[in-house]
Amino acid sequence: MKELNARGLDCPKPVVKTKQALEEEDKVIVTVDDQVQAENVAKLAKKMNCKVSTLEEENYYKLTIEKLADETTEDKEDSQGKVYFITSATLGEGAEELGNVLMKGFISTLLNVTPVPNKIIFINSGVKVPTLNQEAKEHLKELEAKGVTILSCGTCLDYYGLEEKLEIGNISNMYEILDSLNSNGVVKV
């Protein structure tokens, strides 16, 4: 068993260090600073086919992670399908108003393409789309209902003060984002 103190580490270091520890050990205890880090570490552990129990203390979280089997439970879909990587609140360069119209049109059109994408990832000012763009949010809810995974960068949401406004999809981290980009056909928008 290995104990890993990941307190004070910025995203995605707690996830990366946990992954490295789980590659060496069958049981790992990880201590992180906050709930978002705890959720990110737990998400990775579950993807690696581990059982996770979380203990919330006054100013930290302690996760006990145990491997269940040698195989990972990574979704088969993760190795197939397109991933749309949206890095801006607007589509294209030029007039912001036009870029907003184009982004709404882009998101709504994704409902009509076959197959729908596997994932849509929002980073930087792109996180404004699933939080502030009301028309796009409605279309994203429909895409999510069709099985599309919607991920928004937690660091970016925090930077823009939008974490509380996220109603669609999940808060993600750089490790999960890069893992998705590395194992799928990526379309940068």
Side-chain angles (χ1 to χ4, degrees):
M1 177 175 73
K2 181 172 188 167
E3 291 202 31
L4 173 64
N5 182 0
R7 296 186 72 196
L9 299 179
D10 292 330
C11 175
K13 289 180 185 167
V15 174
V16 172
K17 290 195 172 288
T18 300
K19 182 177 187 300
Q20 291 169 342
L22 286 168
E23 289 170 349
E24 298 170 7
E25 298 285 337
D26 288 338
K27 185 174 182 179
V28 177
I29 296 175
V30 182
T31 307
V32 295
D33 290 320
D34 57 50
Q35 183 178 358
V36 171
Q37 289 180 345
E39 289 170 359
N40 287 336
V41 168
K43 204 180 304 182
L44 166 81
K46 289 174 183 169
K47 185 174 181 179
M48 294 179 72
N49 199 27
C50 296
K51 180 176 87 170
V52 181
S53 61
T54 304
L55 176 64
E56 181 179 350
E57 294 292 337
E58 189 173 317
N59 60 353
Y60 66 91
Y61 288 75
K62 186 175 268 193
L63 294 90
T64 303
I65 304 168
E66 276 187 88
K67 287 184 184 177
L68 296 174
D70 292 336
E71 300 176 26
T72 63
T73 58
E74 188 171 343
D75 293 338
K76 294 194 186 321
E77 288 182 15
D78 280 351
S79 61
Q80 315 169 13
K82 296 263 188 257
V83 172
Y84 286 84
F85 187 57
I86 299 178
T87 63
S88 174
T90 60
L91 187 58
E93 295 180 25
E96 185 175 346
E97 186 177 341
L98 175 60
N100 283 325
V101 169
L102 293 173
M103 182 60 76
K104 289 175 194 173
F106 178 81
I107 298 293
S108 69
T109 304
L110 284 175
L111 286 163
N112 300 304
V113 297
T114 304
V116 293
N118 186 29
K119 292 181 184 175
I120 303 173
I121 300 171
F122 296 95
I123 69 159
N124 208 324
S125 69
V127 298
K128 293 178 180 180
V129 176
T131 55
L132 300 177
N133 187 326
Q134 195 58 43
E135 194 173 321
K137 283 170 56 171
E138 294 305 315
H139 297 304
L140 288 169
K141 284 180 186 172
E142 291 180 58
L143 285 163
E144 192 173 46
K146 287 186 169 193
V148 178
T149 301
I150 312 289
L151 300 175
S152 295
C153 168
T155 301
C156 305
L157 289 166
D158 184 52
Y159 179 85
Y160 288 109
L162 296 172
E163 201 167 315
E164 303 273 327
K165 294 189 181 284
L166 186 68
E167 301 168 3
I168 304 154
N170 296 305
I171 296 174
S172 189
N173 61 75
M174 196 55 71
Y175 181 85
E176 183 180 19
I177 291 169
L178 286 174
D179 190 45
S180 294
L181 296 176
N182 194 37
S183 57
N184 289 282
V186 177
V187 178
K188 184 179 181 270
V189 179

